[in-house]
């Protein structure tokens, strides 16, 4: 069975454009994050090995495997997000004719909702981890790829914000108040960190005429 992450760009965009509710914004956010992390890794690799950028090698070399790890995890989350949505749909279809069935159905819905909130939270986390590296990559990386680093930051910011929107839309369905509060606090924290990282990347992009 093929995964969403293994589809061509054309087929994935067609899946998003279909009348099926999934893949949706959560999977799209994870895909955007994977693309952003990939672009930053590209800029790093366009810098390493080039003699005129030697003084940046030591700082940038460890970032390539880190960014590769974020990219791979975000690609996994493309499919995990859609599976989490499908789990909610399946739970809602469970029988509810008896009290026992109602209780089992509600538990399944609760569990699926927690999963559907956890997955985009992970997307936001890994995208923010990559986004916080954008300023360093853009500053120290090959200047010929400066626009690529800026595009990467934009994609990663979209991944963070898009994933957090998916977290927040699921919060009303999280029945455990402590868990709900934890999700909300983590979302607020990641949102602030992501905005700060994008702001730093934007400030640098402006000095290079890449952003208004």
């Amino acid at each position: 069975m093929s995964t969403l992450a293994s589809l061509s760009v054309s087929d994935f965009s067609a899946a998003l454009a279909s009348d099926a509710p999934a893949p949706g914004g959560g999977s799209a956010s994870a895909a955007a994050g994977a693309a952003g992390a990939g672009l930053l890794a590209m800029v790093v690799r366009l810098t390493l090995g080039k003699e005129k950028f030697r003084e940046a090698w030591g700082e940038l070399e460890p970032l390539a495997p880190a960014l590769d790890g974020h990219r791979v995890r975000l690609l996994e989350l493309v499919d995990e997000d859609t599976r989490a949505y499908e789990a909610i749909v399946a739970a809602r279809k469970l029988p509810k004719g008896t009290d026992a069935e109602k209780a089992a159905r509600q538990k399944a819905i609760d569990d699926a909702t927690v999963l559907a909130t956890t997955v985009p939270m992970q997307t936001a986390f890994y995208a923010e981890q990559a986004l916080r590296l954008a300023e360093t990559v853009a500053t120290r990386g090959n200047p010929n790829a400066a626009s690529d680093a800026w595009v990467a930051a934009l994609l990663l910011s979209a991944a963070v914000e898009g994933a957090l929107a998916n977290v927040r839309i699921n919060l009303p369905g999280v029945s455990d108040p402590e868990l709900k509060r934890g999700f909300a606090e983590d979302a607020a924290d990641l949102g602030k960190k992501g905005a700060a990282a994008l702001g730093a990347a934007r400030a640098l992009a402006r000095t290079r005429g890449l952003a208004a």
Side-chain angles (χ1 to χ4, degrees):
M1 180 180 177
S2 64
T3 63
L4 291 170
S6 69
L7 296 177
S8 67
V9 173
S10 176
D11 287 345
F12 181 63
S13 65
L16 291 175
S18 76
D19 60 0
S27 291
S29 296
L39 274 175
L40 285 182
M42 180 194 78
V43 176
V44 170
R45 291 188 169 101
L46 288 173
T47 307
L48 299 177
K50 292 184 170 55
E51 193 62 35
K52 58 184 169 180
F53 306 129
R54 174 179 282 277
E55 67 176 39
W57 293 358
E59 187 174 2
L60 292 184
E61 188 169 14
L63 302 190
L67 287 163
D68 287 342
H70 299 329
R71 177 179 57 82
V72 170
R73 182 65 188 119
L74 286 160
L75 284 174
E76 293 171 346
L77 288 161
V78 171
D79 283 277
E80 289 181 26
D81 194 274
T82 291
R83 288 197 295 268
Y85 174 81
E86 290 170 346
I88 290 180
V89 172
R92 292 191 179 282
K93 290 180 179 178
L94 291 174
K96 50 182 177 179
T98 67
D99 287 345
E101 287 176 342
K102 289 177 182 177
R105 176 178 178 272
Q106 188 57 54
K107 183 179 185 308
I109 291 173
D110 289 345
D111 290 346
T113 302
V114 169
L115 177 63
T117 309
T118 301
V119 170
M121 187 71 81
Q122 289 187 41
T123 297
F125 172 80
Y126 286 103
E128 191 277 328
Q129 290 288 298
L131 178 56
R132 67 172 59 187
L133 302 178
E135 182 186 13
T136 297
V137 173
T139 301
R140 304 287 285 158
N142 188 327
N144 294 319
S147 61
D148 298 295
W150 173 226
V151 171
L154 291 170
L155 286 168
L156 288 162
S157 175
V160 172
E161 289 300 318
L164 292 180
N166 278 266
V167 169
R168 292 178 178 121
I169 201 170
N170 286 320
L171 284 181
V174 177
S175 58
D176 184 323
E178 287 299 318
L179 193 56
K180 181 185 293 188
R181 180 161 45 251
F183 277 135
E185 289 174 354
D186 288 347
D189 181 58
L190 280 172
K192 288 177 183 176
K193 289 177 178 176
L198 179 65
R202 184 185 298 277
L204 180 60
R206 280 178 176 153
T207 67
R208 296 171 170 176
L210 302 176

